[in-house]
């Protein structure tokens, strides 16, 4: 369905409290549209939108769409949603968030879409801040809260537009990017994709969206990515290989686990970068950001100073606090085996005694589809505490539990300390009673496991 936004006045957003659709709503409000929306619960996001002029309903009911002339819905909304049913009855056109995002992107000369199974939010944030600090005044949509822009969206006045490009449900195929970044391709979202070949096929279609006058910045060492871009004349590669357009050398980590490295371009050493976030995976996120911005003509000093001062978005290796017993509490969004391994590897470069991983699997389909990979992904952790699977948009038709994952980890690693608690308060008490001075505790997952970190610190304060 072809959408011309100028044909509409009142736009209703179903699932407006989500990180993605809320950003679209804020841009529409900034452009003077009447915006209403619904969500199941209030939040900081809905409160912010109300202050900006949105009319928000708690709960989703048919009458909420009355008066709207366009409905936009998030990927979590099904066709039997009462508001979707009512929109159909009233012949109100209904389109996905990705469709509207594509319409918005088409209006910008320099539209940048950051894709990949892992690292999208971090890389989008890095590029956004580089452009911001270089006085490019970009419009920004990021999948996490970025303190420098006061949330997850910023409306700029230039020709620069940057957003994450999510592959789930083939959403990114609705976008209109001039520049694409493909960080990696891995098995995920197997409740939609049939297999890795299906995922690669979608990324190939995504790459084909870029015209000859555009650019694709791609990670050369991922075989699936390399297969897609190897014959494309507009591909810029990054990685550790000297054959890449941009590559890093001389990687070292300081005593806090933060990496330092040289950036090279077509055989020429350009600069040294010392990151303020840990992990080898963030070297690649930073290099992708560097390659994108340098190719756009951004001054190297602006790129380097921004990357060196970047401390991350919320829930990406956030240092939450230190208990009175000198136990450091960190929170991280990692919810895929590859991300778990990367985060735990990053933690190895930070001084600690035992490394605790408090993990909450995210969705039944992902846990089932990647069960063996999950069981093998915690080898760097000394203590593993598992809680029940976070359902998100799903129902447990598979009858799978975190208990099975605990049993499999114990089978593979009989000497490893692995525990299961369904209650967050129990987990917090267990950590407080058993962690030792100098230990590093990471709450990990895409659900609400972050609350355990807060509970631990609150209990410690009360003591």
């Amino acid at each position: 369905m072809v959408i011309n936004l100028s044909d509409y006045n009142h736009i209703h957003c179903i699932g407006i409290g989500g990180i993605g659709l809320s950003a679209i709503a804020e841009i529409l409000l900034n452009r003077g549209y009447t915006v209403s929306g619904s969500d199941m619960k209030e939040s900081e996001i809905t409160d912010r939108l109300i202050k900006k002029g949105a009319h928000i309903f708690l709960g989703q009911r048919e009458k909420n769409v009355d008066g709207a002339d366009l409905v936009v819905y998030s990927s979590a909304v099904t066709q039997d949603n009462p508001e979707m049913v009512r929109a159909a009855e009233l012949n109100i056109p209904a389109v996905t968030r990705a469709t509207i995002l594509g319409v918005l992107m088409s209006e910008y000369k320099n539209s940048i879409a950051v894709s990949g199974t892992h690292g999208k939010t971090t890389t989008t944030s890095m590029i956004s801040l580089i452009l911001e600090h270089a006085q490019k005044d970009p419009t920004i949509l990021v999948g996490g809260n970025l303190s420098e822009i006061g949330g997850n969206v910023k409306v700029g006045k230039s020709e620069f537009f940057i957003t994450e490009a999510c592959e789930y449900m083939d959403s990114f195929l609705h976008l209109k990017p001039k520049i694409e970044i493909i960080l990696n391709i891995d098995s995920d979202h197997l409740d939609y994709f049939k297999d890795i070949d299906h995922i690669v096929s979608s990324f190939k279609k995504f790459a084909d969206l870029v015209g000859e006058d555009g650019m694709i910045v791609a990670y050369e060492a991922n075989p699936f990515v390399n297969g897609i871009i190897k014959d494309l004349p507009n591909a810029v590669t990054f990685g550790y290989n000297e054959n890449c357009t941009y590559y890093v050398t001389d990687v070292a980590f300081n005593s806090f686990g933060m990496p330092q490295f040289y950036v090279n371009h077509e055989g020429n050493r350009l600069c040294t970068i010392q990151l303020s976030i840990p992990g080898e995976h963030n070297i690649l996120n930073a290099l992708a950001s560097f390659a994108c911005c340098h190719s756009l003509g951004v001054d190297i000093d602006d790129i380097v100073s921004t990357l060196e001062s970047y401390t991350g978005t919320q829930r990406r290796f956030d240092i939450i606090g230190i208990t009175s017993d000198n136990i450091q509490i960190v929170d991280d969004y990692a919810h895929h085996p590859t991300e778990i391994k990367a985060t735990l590897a990053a933690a190895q470069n930070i001084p600690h005694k035992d490394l605790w991983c408090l993990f909450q699997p995210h969705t039944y389909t992902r846990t089932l589809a990647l069960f063996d990979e999950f069981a093998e992904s915690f080898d760097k952790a000394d203590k593993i505490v598992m809680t029940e699977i976070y359902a998100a948009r799903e129902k447990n038709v598979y009858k799978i539990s975190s208990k099975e994952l605990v049993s499999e980890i114990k089978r593979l690693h009989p000497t490893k300390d692995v525990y299961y608690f369904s209650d967050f308060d129990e987990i917090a008490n267990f950590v407080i009673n058993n962690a030792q001075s100098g230990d590093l505790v990471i709450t990990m997952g895409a659900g609400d496991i972050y609350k355990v970190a807060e509970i631990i610190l609150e209990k410690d304060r009360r003591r």
Side-chain angles (χ1 to χ4, degrees):
M1 180 179 180
V2 179
I3 290 292
N4 185 348
L5 281 175
S6 63
D7 293 339
Y8 305 98
N9 296 305
H10 178 179
I11 301 174
H12 181 76
C13 303
I14 309 176
I16 198 169
I19 199 77
L21 191 48
S22 64
I24 297 292
E26 192 160 328
I27 290 175
L28 294 172
L29 284 165
N30 186 269
R31 293 187 173 199
Y33 289 94
T34 298
V35 175
S36 61
S38 60
D39 215 282
M40 299 310 294
K41 59 183 179 180
E42 61 181 342
S43 63
E44 290 182 10
I45 290 175
T46 57
D47 289 345
R48 186 175 74 242
L49 289 172
I50 290 170
K51 289 177 182 176
K52 290 182 177 292
H55 183 71
I56 295 181
F57 304 94
L58 294 181
Q60 294 173 342
R61 292 175 288 275
E62 292 184 358
K63 64 180 182 180
N64 294 349
V65 302
D66 291 354
D69 49 17
L70 178 66
V71 167
V72 184
Y73 59 96
S74 72
S75 59
V77 174
T78 56
Q79 294 300 312
D80 61 355
N81 180 286
E83 296 182 19
M84 291 289 287
V85 172
R86 180 62 171 166
E89 291 174 353
L90 298 174
N91 291 317
I92 301 172
V95 297
T96 64
R97 168 196 175 270
T99 299
I100 297 298
L101 181 55
V103 172
L104 293 171
M105 288 186 78
S106 67
E107 301 175 3
Y108 291 80
K109 181 181 177 181
N110 293 311
S111 55
I112 305 167
V114 181
S115 73
T117 313
H118 323 290
K120 290 187 291 293
T121 297
T122 296
T123 305
T124 303
S125 300
M126 287 175 167
I127 295 171
S128 298
L129 294 178
I130 290 169
L131 295 176
E132 185 79 352
H133 294 161
Q135 307 298 312
K136 302 298 184 183
D137 194 21
T139 293
I140 300 165
L141 282 80
V142 63
N145 285 318
L146 191 57
S147 60
E148 289 88 344
I149 63 171
N152 65 313
V153 61
K154 178 244 176 186
V155 181
K157 294 182 175 63
S158 75
E159 289 296 317
F160 286 90
F161 184 103
I162 178 164
T163 183
E164 292 185 33
C166 182
E167 73 275 16
Y168 183 58
M169 303 286 284
D170 280 332
S171 292
F172 61 179
L173 299 185
H174 293 278
L175 305 186
K176 304 289 190 295
K178 180 74 173 291
I179 300 162
E180 287 180 1
I181 295 174
I182 306 179
L183 297 167
N184 41 64
I185 299 175
D186 203 348
S187 290
D188 199 11
H189 299 305
L190 295 173
D191 55 330
Y192 172 74
F193 293 111
K194 297 171 187 173
D195 50 32
I196 187 64
D197 291 335
H198 186 189
I199 297 171
V200 173
S201 173
S202 287
F203 272 92
K204 177 63 170 68
K205 293 174 184 175
F206 178 63
D208 289 342
L209 295 176
V210 177
E212 292 183 3
D213 61 337
M215 178 176 68
I216 298 174
V217 180
Y219 179 42
E220 172 268 350
N222 183 288
F224 304 117
V225 177
N226 201 30
I228 287 172
I229 57 94
K230 64 180 180 180
D231 296 322
L232 296 179
N234 55 353
V236 171
T237 57
F238 68 92
Y240 293 97
N241 190 324
E242 292 184 3
N243 292 324
C244 293
T245 317
Y246 293 86
Y247 60 95
V248 298
T249 54
D250 301 278
V251 176
F253 293 87
N254 66 18
S255 59
F256 298 101
M258 311 302 180
Q260 183 184 70
F261 51 91
Y262 290 119
V263 176
N264 306 270
H265 176 236
E266 296 179 343
N268 298 310
R269 180 173 290 181
L270 297 183
C271 58
T272 305
I273 295 178
Q274 172 73 67
L275 294 182
S276 299
I277 50 175
E280 192 166 342
H281 58 297
N282 280 319
I283 297 174
L284 293 173
N285 293 334
L287 185 59
S289 305
F290 189 105
C292 173
C293 295
H294 186 255
S295 297
L296 284 169
V298 178
D299 187 82
I300 289 178
D301 289 342
D302 286 325
I303 300 174
V304 172
S305 62
T306 302
L307 290 175
E308 291 196 331
S309 63
Y310 177 75
T311 55
T313 54
Q314 289 182 15
R315 303 220 58 218
R316 269 69 178 182
F317 216 93
D318 275 357
I319 298 175
I320 305 300
I322 300 175
T323 71
S324 57
D325 293 330
N326 192 35
I327 299 162
Q328 188 167 201
I329 311 294
V330 170
D331 177 59
D332 195 271
Y333 191 72
H335 58 284
H336 183 283
T338 301
E339 296 166 354
I340 295 166
K341 289 179 180 179
T343 299
L344 294 177
Q348 296 304 308
N349 294 305
I350 297 173
H352 65 271
K353 290 183 180 177
D354 280 347
L355 174 60
W356 292 64
C357 181
L358 316 183
F359 184 67
Q360 179 187 48
H362 188 262
T363 74
Y364 306 110
T365 52
R366 181 181 285 114
T367 306
L368 184 64
L370 302 176
F371 186 86
D372 292 341
E373 290 89 341
F374 274 116
E376 291 282 14
S377 61
F378 296 94
D379 60 311
K380 299 288 187 187
D382 300 298
K383 315 277 187 183
I384 304 165
V385 180
M386 198 82 62
T387 192
E388 202 42 76
I389 299 167
Y390 188 84
R393 56 188 172 267
E394 298 180 348
K395 294 182 180 178
N396 193 7
V397 297
Y398 310 98
K399 307 302 180 187
I400 188 171
S401 167
S402 295
K403 294 177 183 177
E404 296 163 37
L405 191 53
V406 168
S407 297
E408 181 63 8
I409 296 171
K410 287 181 175 178
R411 187 187 71 81
L412 294 171
H413 307 281
T415 61
K416 192 171 284 292
D417 294 328
V418 190
Y419 309 90
Y420 170 88
F421 299 99
S422 61
D423 182 76
F424 284 1
D425 207 60
E426 286 184 273
I427 296 175
N429 287 332
F430 183 77
V431 171
I432 288 170
N433 292 331
N434 292 277
Q436 304 294 313
S437 176
D439 285 359
L440 175 59
V441 176
I442 304 178
T443 55
M444 190 180 292
D448 58 355
I449 187 67
Y450 65 88
K451 293 178 181 177
V452 175
E454 297 170 356
I455 295 170
I456 290 171
L457 291 173
E458 178 58 30
K459 286 179 177 288
D460 182 68
R461 278 192 289 269
R462 289 178 187 168
R463 287 198 305 168

